[in-house]
Amino acid sequence: MSLLVVGLSHRSAPVSVLERASLAADTQAKLLQDTLAAEPATEAAVLATCNRIELYADVDKFHAGVAELSTLLAQHSGVGLDELTPYLYVHYEDRAVHHLFSVACGLDSMVVGEGQILGQIKDALARGQELHTAGRLLNDLFQQALRVGKRAHSETGIDRAGQSLVTFGLQQLAAGADPGLWARGKRALVIGAGSMSSLAAATLARTGVAEIAVANRTRARADRLVEILRQGDDTTVRARAVEMSAVGDELTRADIVVSCTGSTGLVLTADALADALGATLDAPAETPAVALAPIPAPADVDQHAAWVENGSATSAPQAPAAPAAPRRVTLPAQSTGPVKLALLDLAMPRDIDGAAHRIDGVRLVDIESLADASADAPMAADVDQVRTIVADEVAAFGAAQRAAHVAPTVVALRTMAADVVAGEIARLDGRLPDLDEKQRAEITQTVRRVVDKLLHAPTVRVKQLASEPGGAGYADALRELFDLDPQTVAAVSRADLNDPNRGRS
């Protein structure tokens, strides 16, 4: 296994860089194809969310792989390599597995313990499978990451360690008030009908808003989301779909707006918001500090922005940070009067013009302010449990991969032995043509038993040894000792990879 991940996230890069580096769906597909075309990579998958962009690959050369993947990320994101490099982190082999499993469990999320990342990992795997860029290693890795994430949520209280990004955003909009009481009876406008927007709409419905209007460029998706909201057992919300062209009119009715689209430009400009409110856009003012409620987050994330500690590339480990004192987070200046319109921008790049905070009666919370609010949050007790699960699962995954690496060699050895037996029986038939079927069957069975007994101990032992750290070389030794044809071993590997039932869960 030569797994490599190169990426950046809200922990390693400022939101402004993440925003510029965001990848549209078609760009992600091109990135995957170009990664496979690059010499060091044989498999590739990309995990792109609103606060992380990570490129996973199976590479045969570490340094060449890092250079190639970093260059490809820069080319497809449109951010220059020199500018992007300081914000990139690199993980290799077991460290890369540990990283993805931690991501799947929500340990690396902006809001620790959130479960939406599992859907995003599932989407990344599906994209790699659809484009045929995810092979045996990445299929196994992402499938196992999904299982580890589900295990963490079912066996621990990691869900209590944090809330969904939507819930946390609504808490910030409520500015210290109970979000349920604050939102009850209000009218909401949700722009977008993707996974994050759907989560926002469902959360608003449960919170108690009276009405939700859903606007989306594809009307059918907005209609589908509205139908889901209407069928909810735990809400009585009035839901309706509207055209994107009607957003301006809906702004005049809404109390809360949540936007999360895939647009590369602004969906709501400050001027459009000012017009909807009949307000004016004030001149820029000095930005005060606004207190935001902290949320639980991992305390020890030194694996981020770290180079691999395996001898190929190293970095001095970061000393654990001392517990941070409560702080006041700098947010755009908000009006001191009553809030007429509360805006929650969950998109990356942003949907809502940051200048909206200069409109009297508007309160804006976006990804950047949410990242600031969670940066120094304390670690929840359940995080330790999840870290133990991740460590155990990483060890088990590594052992399974190392054992799988030797399996094609064992199969090829047994196939060669079977061919030898078949050849000798055919030779015996030529020398003793008078053997009856019963005699011939008994001799054949005896020879097979002898060969199986001779091969049993070494093949079982080599599988055990191969599952241990550093055991990958035993497959090479087996091939060398028995003079196995490398092409035969490769053919076994390809047959296993093309098995349609492989990786089903």
Side-chain angles (χ1 to χ4, degrees):
M1 178 180 65
S2 299
L3 177 65
L4 174 67
V5 55
V6 178
L8 66 160
S9 75
H10 63 283
R11 296 196 183 279
S12 70
V15 172
S16 59
V17 173
L18 278 173
E19 190 173 46
R20 292 169 52 210
S22 62
L23 302 174
D26 56 345
T27 306
Q28 293 177 39
K30 186 65 166 60
L31 171 59
L32 289 174
Q33 292 163 351
D34 289 351
T35 301
L36 276 197
E39 182 178 344
T42 57
E43 300 181 33
V46 61
L47 178 59
T49 73
C50 60
N51 52 31
R52 78 175 61 252
I53 302 165
E54 296 177 344
L55 181 56
Y56 291 77
D58 185 5
V59 299
D60 56 6
K61 299 173 183 176
F62 172 76
H63 292 289
V66 171
E68 190 65 39
L69 267 58
S70 301
T71 300
L72 287 168
L73 276 175
Q75 289 175 348
H76 289 80
S77 69
V79 180
L81 182 59
D82 290 344
E83 182 181 359
L84 192 65
T85 297
Y87 304 114
L88 294 177
Y89 47 79
V90 175
H91 299 299
Y92 192 52
E93 295 188 326
D94 285 352
R95 286 286 298 263
V97 176
H98 187 282
H99 174 72
L100 181 60
F101 287 4
S102 296
V103 169
C105 292
L107 290 179
D108 198 59
S109 295
M110 187 179 294
V111 180
V112 112
E114 60 92 11
Q116 188 183 7
I117 187 63
L118 287 174
Q120 294 163 333
I121 291 174
K122 186 176 181 180
D123 290 343
L125 174 60
R127 187 181 304 108
Q129 292 172 333
E130 180 182 356
L131 296 173
H132 305 290
T133 63
R136 171 190 294 172
L137 174 59
L138 293 184
N139 269 287
D140 288 352
L141 175 70
F142 276 70
Q143 291 276 7
Q144 189 61 24
L146 291 171
R147 287 189 281 267
V148 173
K150 291 174 184 176
R151 180 188 169 193
H153 283 281
S154 65
E155 295 183 13
T156 75
I158 190 66
D159 300 90
R160 297 191 302 267
Q163 307 127 327
S164 76
L165 197 59
V166 173
T167 303
F168 184 51
L170 292 177
Q171 285 184 345
Q172 304 312 315
L173 285 180
D178 179 86
L181 296 175
W182 172 79
R184 191 163 301 158
K186 285 183 167 62
R187 291 172 295 191
L189 169 63
V190 175
I191 304 176
S195 57
M196 182 68 83
S197 298
S198 299
L199 176 60
T203 303
L204 286 166
R206 289 194 300 270
T207 303
V209 297
E211 177 183 316
I212 298 177
V214 179
N216 191 63
R217 286 185 174 83
T218 304
R219 177 60 184 263
R221 295 191 67 181
D223 289 334
R224 186 161 57 248
L225 176 54
V226 165
E227 187 62 27
I228 292 172
L229 293 173
R230 288 174 176 170
Q231 294 174 356
D233 295 331
D234 54 349
T235 71
T236 57
V237 67
R238 299 188 303 274
R240 56 191 176 87
V242 300
E243 302 290 345
M244 284 294 291
S245 58
V247 165
D249 292 335
E250 293 298 326
L251 288 174
T252 64
R253 295 166 43 85
D255 303 301
I256 305 170
V257 176
V258 179
S259 187
C260 187
T261 72
S263 174
T264 56
L266 292 176
V267 174
L268 296 178
T269 65
D271 288 336
L273 289 165
D275 289 344
L277 292 174
T280 58
L281 191 61
D282 296 335
E286 184 178 352
T287 301
V290 178
L292 290 184
I295 56 170
D300 180 15
V301 291
D302 64 301
Q303 73 265 30
H304 264 284
W307 291 83
V308 191
E309 297 179 36
N310 68 344
S312 296
T314 60
S315 67
Q318 300 293 321
R327 67 170 186 165
R328 297 181 68 80
V329 179
T330 299
L331 280 179
Q334 308 287 345
S335 62
T336 56
V339 176
K340 301 176 184 177
L341 186 61
L343 305 172
L344 178 57
D345 185 358
L346 298 174
M348 184 67 69
R350 72 192 71 196
D351 280 347
I352 302 176
D353 191 343
H357 71 271
R358 289 159 41 200
I359 304 172
D360 187 39
V362 167
R363 179 172 177 81
L364 170 64
V365 171
D366 57 18
I367 287 290
E368 187 164 15
S369 57
L370 291 176
D372 285 342
S374 64
D376 292 332
M379 184 177 72
D382 289 306
V383 170
D384 280 339
Q385 273 186 275
V386 177
R387 289 189 186 281
T388 299
I389 289 175
V390 168
D392 292 344
E393 292 284 358
V394 169
F397 183 82
Q401 288 296 308
R402 288 187 288 270
H405 179 72
V406 78
T409 302
V410 171
V411 172
L413 174 60
R414 289 192 172 276
T415 300
M416 184 190 75
D419 290 343
V420 170
V421 170
E424 289 301 314
I425 294 300
R427 182 170 174 269
L428 183 65
D429 286 342
R431 297 183 64 181
L432 301 174
D434 296 332
L435 287 175
D436 59 33
E437 286 299 319
K438 183 177 180 181
Q439 291 171 326
R440 184 179 183 280
E442 184 64 31
I443 293 172
T444 300
Q445 186 64 24
T446 298
V447 175
R448 286 176 177 166
R449 281 199 298 266
V450 170
V451 171
D452 285 343
K453 287 182 178 180
L454 286 173
L455 291 182
H456 177 74
T459 54
V460 169
R461 185 59 179 149
V462 79
K463 288 181 180 179
Q464 294 172 340
L465 292 171
S467 67
E468 299 173 358
Y474 288 102
D476 298 331
L478 203 62
R479 286 194 295 270
E480 187 69 24
L481 287 171
F482 287 91
D483 195 24
L484 296 175
D485 182 5
Q487 295 301 320
T488 303
V489 176
V492 174
S493 300
R494 286 193 297 271
D496 182 53
L497 181 59
N498 293 328
D499 181 353
N501 295 316
R502 177 177 172 79
R504 302 280 184 186
S505 62

